[in-house]
Amino acid sequence: SWVSKKAQECHIRAVLTGAWDYQISIAARNQEHFSEIMKELRSHFSGFIKNYDVSVLINEPKYDWMVDL
Protein backbone atom coordinates (compact mmCIF):
# COMPACT_ATOMS: atom_id res chain seq x y z
CA SER A 1 0.00 0.00 0.00
CA TRP A 2 0.99 3.66 -0.31
CA VAL A 3 1.45 4.06 3.46
CA SER A 4 3.68 0.99 3.83
CA LYS A 5 5.82 2.22 0.91
CA LYS A 6 6.21 5.65 2.57
CA ALA A 7 7.02 4.04 5.93
CA GLN A 8 10.36 3.01 4.44
CA GLU A 9 11.24 6.69 3.86
CA CYS A 10 9.86 8.22 7.03
CA HIS A 11 8.11 7.39 10.27
CA ILE A 12 4.34 7.63 9.92
CA ARG A 13 2.06 7.04 12.88
CA ALA A 14 -1.70 7.49 13.22
CA VAL A 15 -3.17 8.03 16.68
CA LEU A 16 -6.64 9.07 17.82
CA THR A 17 -6.38 12.39 19.65
CA GLY A 18 -8.43 15.35 21.04
CA ALA A 19 -9.32 18.08 18.53
CA TRP A 20 -8.11 16.07 15.54
CA ASP A 21 -9.19 12.62 14.39
CA TYR A 22 -5.60 11.59 13.65
CA GLN A 23 -2.06 12.64 14.40
CA ILE A 24 0.65 11.80 11.90
CA SER A 25 4.31 12.17 12.84
CA ILE A 26 6.77 12.43 9.96
CA ALA A 27 10.55 12.31 10.38
CA ALA A 28 11.85 13.77 7.10
CA ARG A 29 15.46 14.19 5.94
CA ASN A 30 14.95 17.90 5.20
CA GLN A 31 12.29 20.49 4.37
CA GLU A 32 12.09 19.48 0.71
CA HIS A 33 11.53 15.83 1.66
CA PHE A 34 8.82 16.89 4.12
CA SER A 35 7.09 19.00 1.44
CA GLU A 36 7.18 16.08 -0.99
CA ILE A 37 5.63 13.74 1.60
CA MET A 38 2.92 16.27 2.50
CA LYS A 39 2.09 16.83 -1.17
CA GLU A 40 1.70 13.07 -1.68
CA LEU A 41 -0.36 12.70 1.52
CA ARG A 42 -2.69 15.52 0.52
CA SER A 43 -3.04 14.12 -2.99
CA HIS A 44 -3.58 10.51 -1.92
CA PHE A 45 -5.98 11.37 0.93
CA SER A 46 -7.61 14.50 -0.56
CA GLY A 47 -11.09 13.31 0.40
CA PHE A 48 -10.11 12.98 4.06
CA ILE A 49 -7.62 15.79 4.80
CA LYS A 50 -9.59 19.00 5.32
CA ASN A 51 -7.16 20.88 7.57
CA TYR A 52 -3.77 20.26 9.17
CA ASP A 53 -1.18 21.87 11.45
CA VAL A 54 2.59 21.45 11.30
CA SER A 55 5.04 21.54 14.22
CA VAL A 56 8.76 21.37 13.54
CA LEU A 57 11.17 19.59 15.89
CA ILE A 58 14.88 19.80 15.18
CA ASN A 59 17.33 17.26 16.53
CA GLU A 60 20.57 19.04 17.40
CA PRO A 61 23.43 17.51 19.37
CA LYS A 62 24.08 19.32 22.64
CA TYR A 63 27.63 20.22 23.61
CA ASP A 64 28.26 19.84 27.36
CA TRP A 65 31.14 22.15 28.27
CA MET A 66 31.04 20.91 31.89
CA VAL A 67 32.33 17.47 30.86
CA ASP A 68 35.88 18.84 30.61
CA LEU A 69 35.99 20.01 34.26
Side-chain angles (χ1 to χ4, degrees), residues 1 14 19 22-23 26 28 32-34 36 39 45-48 52-53 55 57 60:
S1 77
Y22 294 97
Q23 174 182 336
I26 301 171
E32 291 80 20
H33 184 224
F34 176 79
E36 175 186 319
K39 189 183 297 184
F45 298 104
S46 61
F48 299 98
Y52 65 93
D53 288 331
S55 298
L57 302 173
E60 284 189 28

Side-chain angles (χ1 to χ4, degrees), residues 2-69:
W2 184 87
V3 173
S4 62
K5 184 176 123 183
K6 286 293 146 191
Q8 295 173 5
E9 296 179 10
C10 62
H11 175 70
I12 301 176
R13 176 183 64 193
V15 179
L16 240 51
T17 178
W20 301 99
D21 292 333
Y22 294 97
Q23 174 182 336
I24 301 172
S25 299
I26 301 171
R29 293 184 298 269
N30 53 38
Q31 186 174 353
E32 291 80 20
H33 184 224
F34 176 79
S35 295
E36 175 186 319
I37 293 167
M38 285 305 299
K39 189 183 297 184
E40 289 183 32
L41 271 173
R42 289 173 40 213
S43 173
H44 196 272
F45 298 104
S46 61
F48 299 98
I49 298 175
K50 304 298 181 200
N51 195 4
Y52 65 93
D53 288 331
V54 175
S55 298
V56 178
L57 302 173
I58 299 172
N59 183 16
E60 284 189 28
K62 179 182 174 188
Y63 176 72
D64 187 359
W65 60 274
M66 296 291 288
V67 87
D68 295 331
L69 295 179

